Amino acid sequence: MLGVRVDAVRDSSIVSHSMRIELGGDSSNSAAAQKLDGDSFAVSRNAQNAIAIHAGSERGLIHAAASVLEHLGAQFPVGAPPIFPHIEARRIAAIESFAVTPAFKRRAFVSDIMTWNYLFPERLALHLEHDREFIPWMARRGINAFSYIRHAHDTRLKIDELSPLLASRGIDAEYGGHVLQTLLPREQFGSHPEYFPATDDGERMAAGNLCVSNPAAMKLVREGALKYVRDCPENTLLHIWGADVKRGAWCRCGACRELSPQLQYMAVVNAIAEALSADASAPPVAYLAYHDTIEPHPALKPRDNVWFEWAPRERCYVHAIDDASCEINPRYLDTLKRYIDLFDGRGHVFEYYADSILFSGLGFAMPQVIAADLRCYRALGIESISCLTFGAYSALAYPVNLEAFVRGSRDVDFDPETVVKDTANGRHPLCGAAMTGAYRTVAAASKLVLDYGDVVPVMKIEPARRDRKRTDLAQASSIFVRAVAAAESITNAVRSPLTNSERELWRFSSAILGGLSDYLDALQSRDVPRGEDAIKKLDGAIEHIRRIDPPIKGTWGPYDLEWMRELWLGGLRRALGAGQQPAEDIF
């Protein structure tokens, strides 16, 4: 930025986590170090020719250095190269002292391991290309943890290729996920069916979690979890989650049927936590409040090294979590408050602001909701927050949300409107004004859509709400056309692969929402031919995503979205033929 070499030297004579940026000349004066904890940091002009940085951790120095650069005009947009403008030396002299204590102690991103497509070398290489940019971006933006979600069919616990990069940036690694099925090997079913959950009629099934009343099954699960800890000593939070289904994963045998899913799950987590309690270096264990455990059972008695992980996936994203006017969110907020009481405040919030599956691959922006959410969570005493991501595709489809999350995780009083403008200018420095308008348009469309869960499985909407939602979706489709027009107004001279890609994403979003509106109308009137036409429209919309460059849409766009859309479209076809058949029977 200056055009000359600048030295950064450690200053351990003051505190262990301290450094100076030398600007030349005499910089021997030192300011008194502040007492700082965790990732907090302070920046001061402690001499005419030096900037002093003190932090509560090694990682805090990384965050502080990036913050200094931002104060000097650097930008770190998600999904785009960092911007380091040329500056004059007097710009540095104008820096005033400042300090930062992050609002949340744990600030994490989360991803499903399967989205790396690691069984296919070319696909894995494509994801790793994104990771080599995304992980440094996380560090610059103050993120301090990354969590891998493993599913039963996964053969990996983590992406080993990324471990050195995460460690070098001070980003904690977390492992686990939906692993109960893995901890109780399915091949045991043939010889020990009694280890496995029973259905209501007493029949044992190889799917689901386990029979928590069976000591041998519990022992196997406990030993498997302990092996995770032994094999991965760098793991800072052990995520032991049940099967990723809404019902049917827990045991209904005679001994278990009186125990709710919450109590069965708590028995497993407590057993693992008890085995870990003797080791002071062992990570805490996460109890996932999700689907059939989202409601806290009043009899839950977690051990001191168990933390809840509250994941309100079916909440409304049109309204903030504490918006009393919302028809959905008050119930979820109440569950969070009760979990906080039951766990004496030991809790994490797991959010879905960049969930490509929940949002069916459409582009959305909700900075105001994120800002209000994070203020609410912090006011409740929550100090740990995470956000689900899907690699490069999330950076393409939800850049405003990702930027809002990283700002809010550090300072809950951030301005959401500034996030929209800064994100557009950082990603599109040659056409920031036009793209700011486009992002605002996307945010306006989002307010009409995100109040019923997964976007494409639209038949889940209750019949009484379908007519209103049909109108909302049609209006949102029209609004997306305005975002497309804003992208198309940019001259060829400043257009980039990223602007072209976002334009195609918004065309896809408009086509999908318009098709869903038509589909709802056909479903309500039982007009099968019109419904089939709507499904054809939905099917054809994928061509817009196929036109996007692979590095920009990552592995999720060309691979995962393709097979997931087949499931979604199949469900729509079956629901259309079944008339008013409940959605749970369709998917």
Side-chain angles (χ1 to χ4, degrees):
M1 294 169 74
L2 284 170
V4 297
R5 176 179 175 82
V6 176
D7 292 324
V9 297
R10 300 305 295 269
D11 198 354
S12 57
S13 62
I14 303 175
V15 290
S16 58
H17 308 305
S18 183
M19 64 185 293
R20 286 194 322 276
I21 299 175
E22 301 278 8
L23 305 175
D26 182 14
S27 59
S28 59
N29 295 333
S30 295
Q34 302 180 33
K35 179 173 175 54
L36 299 165
D37 296 318
D39 296 339
S40 299
F41 60 85
V43 176
S44 61
R45 296 276 290 128
N46 70 326
Q48 177 66 30
N49 299 303
I51 297 173
I53 300 175
H54 305 145
S57 65
E58 291 285 304
R59 176 168 52 213
L61 293 178
I62 296 176
H63 301 169
S67 185
V68 168
L69 294 176
E70 285 188 291
H71 275 69
L72 296 173
Q75 297 178 65
F76 304 115
V78 62
I83 299 171
F84 298 103
H86 175 74
I87 61 172
E88 300 296 332
R90 62 178 179 271
R91 178 80 175 266
I92 299 176
I95 287 184
E96 296 182 358
S97 298
F98 66 95
V100 172
T101 296
F104 295 88
K105 291 182 179 179
R106 173 180 172 268
R107 306 169 301 282
F109 281 120
V110 186
S111 290
D112 293 273
I113 298 175
M114 64 180 177
T115 59
W116 269 266
N117 284 250
Y118 49 79
L119 295 177
F120 304 91
E122 290 184 0
R123 299 183 189 182
L124 175 60
L126 179 62
H127 203 303
L128 293 176
E129 182 181 343
H130 160 76
D131 298 325
R132 294 186 187 102
E133 300 297 329
F134 189 69
I135 291 174
W137 177 82
M138 285 196 296
R140 290 169 179 146
R141 309 303 285 121
I143 296 298
N144 62 8
F146 188 84
S147 178
Y148 296 102
I149 299 176
R150 183 176 183 175
H151 291 262
H153 56 269
D154 276 310
T155 59
R156 286 195 182 194
L157 180 64
K158 57 186 174 179
I159 303 300
D160 294 299
E161 293 87 341
L162 298 180
S163 295
L165 187 54
L166 289 169
S168 71
R169 300 285 173 164
I171 297 174
D172 291 338
E174 300 172 3
Y175 311 133
H178 298 284
V179 296
L180 272 186
Q181 292 171 297
T182 304
L183 297 179
L184 178 59
R186 301 295 109 171
E187 57 266 23
Q188 292 272 355
F189 186 75
S191 56
H192 292 286
E194 70 277 10
Y195 292 176
F196 293 81
T199 61
D200 283 325
D201 60 7
E203 183 178 354
R204 299 287 175 172
M205 56 181 179
N209 296 312
L210 75 158
C211 177
V212 301
S213 300
N214 188 292
M218 289 284 280
K219 183 173 183 289
L220 281 173
V221 168
R222 185 172 62 250
E223 289 176 348
L226 294 178
K227 186 175 187 302
Y228 272 171
V229 175
R230 290 193 301 270
D231 293 347
C232 305
E234 74 277 18
N235 182 23
T236 57
L237 179 60
L238 182 60
H239 301 265
I240 302 294
W241 305 346
D244 191 6
V245 297
K246 290 187 178 180
R247 59 184 183 181
W250 294 99
C251 187
R252 299 287 295 164
C253 74
C256 290
R257 69 171 54 246
E258 299 304 318
L259 295 175
S260 67
Q262 296 94 320
L263 294 178
Q264 292 191 43
Y265 181 32
M266 188 85 266
V268 176
V269 172
N270 270 346
I272 295 168
E274 181 180 14
L276 292 172
S277 61
D279 182 358
S281 65
V285 187
Y287 168 103
L288 184 65
Y290 170 76
H291 286 341
D292 56 3
T293 61
I294 192 70
E295 286 282 347
H297 195 288
L300 290 176
K301 297 187 183 303
R303 295 184 61 87
D304 290 343
N305 55 339
V306 176
W307 292 55
F308 71 82
E309 189 161 13
W310 183 75
R313 190 175 185 275
E314 285 74 39
R315 59 160 289 190
C316 167
Y317 285 100
V318 170
H319 302 92
I321 194 66
D322 60 347
D323 189 334
S325 69
C326 181
E327 299 175 354
I328 300 168
N329 288 346
R331 171 228 165 183
Y332 281 96
L333 182 59
D334 179 65
T335 67
L336 174 58
K337 291 177 178 177
R338 284 186 279 147
Y339 267 114
I340 291 172
D341 289 341
L342 287 168
F343 281 70
D344 293 328
R346 300 187 310 278
H348 313 281
V349 167
F350 182 118
E351 269 293 0
Y352 295 86
Y353 303 130
D355 186 346
S356 301
I357 298 178
L358 178 64
F359 302 146
S360 301
L362 281 64
F364 292 114
M366 57 194 94
Q368 287 83 6
V369 168
I370 295 172
D373 283 353
L374 297 186
R375 286 194 295 270
C376 173
Y377 295 147
R378 190 65 197 91
L380 290 172
I382 295 294
E383 295 184 338
S384 171
I385 185 82
S386 63
C387 176
L388 184 64
T389 61
F390 286 80
Y393 198 92
S394 287
L396 166 67
Y398 318 109
V400 172
N401 295 351
L402 291 173
E403 180 62 26
F405 177 80
V406 296
R407 292 196 188 191
S409 66
R410 179 177 285 180
D411 179 7
V412 295
D413 293 322
F414 75 97
D415 177 17
E417 182 54 36
T418 301
V419 166
V420 176
K421 182 178 179 181
D422 289 350
T423 304
N425 287 328
R427 285 166 63 84
H428 306 281
L430 298 179
C431 52
M435 296 306 284
T436 297
Y439 286 175
R440 287 173 179 156
T441 301
V442 171
S446 304
K447 293 178 181 178
L448 294 166
V449 179
L450 304 177
D451 61 349
Y452 65 91
D454 296 76
V455 173
V456 168
V458 72
M459 78 291 289
K460 295 191 296 183
I461 298 172
E462 303 89 343
R465 295 180 59 215
R466 286 178 182 170
D467 189 58
R468 187 186 76 188
K469 206 68 227 172
R470 176 187 62 80
T471 302
D472 287 347
L473 294 174
Q475 185 179 351
S477 175
S478 297
I479 293 175
F480 265 109
V481 172
R482 300 208 305 266
V484 172
E488 289 180 337
S489 70
I490 298 168
T491 64
N492 289 332
V494 298
R495 227 176 247 173
S496 68
L498 183 55
T499 57
N500 291 333
S501 297
E502 289 186 302
R503 180 188 60 193
E504 293 300 329
L505 171 71
W506 298 333
R507 284 174 172 167
F508 171 73
S509 302
S510 179
I512 290 292
L513 294 173
L516 291 176
S517 177
D518 293 345
Y519 177 88
L520 271 184
D521 189 40
L523 190 66
Q524 196 79 339
S525 61
R526 303 198 181 189
D527 186 340
V528 174
R530 187 176 181 191
E532 291 172 344
D533 288 341
I535 292 173
K536 288 179 182 177
K537 182 177 181 180
L538 295 167
D539 190 15
I542 193 64
E543 291 303 322
H544 294 294
I545 300 300
R546 290 172 180 165
R547 296 186 189 120
I548 298 175
D549 292 346
I552 294 177
K553 63 185 174 182
T555 55
W556 199 85
Y559 305 116
D560 299 291
L561 178 58
E562 291 280 355
W563 67 260
M564 287 181 183
R565 64 182 284 274
E566 293 300 327
L567 296 179
W568 292 330
L569 293 175
L572 293 173
R573 292 187 182 101
R574 291 190 295 275
L576 183 66
Q580 299 297 318
Q581 185 174 346
E584 289 81 1
D585 295 334
I586 298 298
F587 283 87

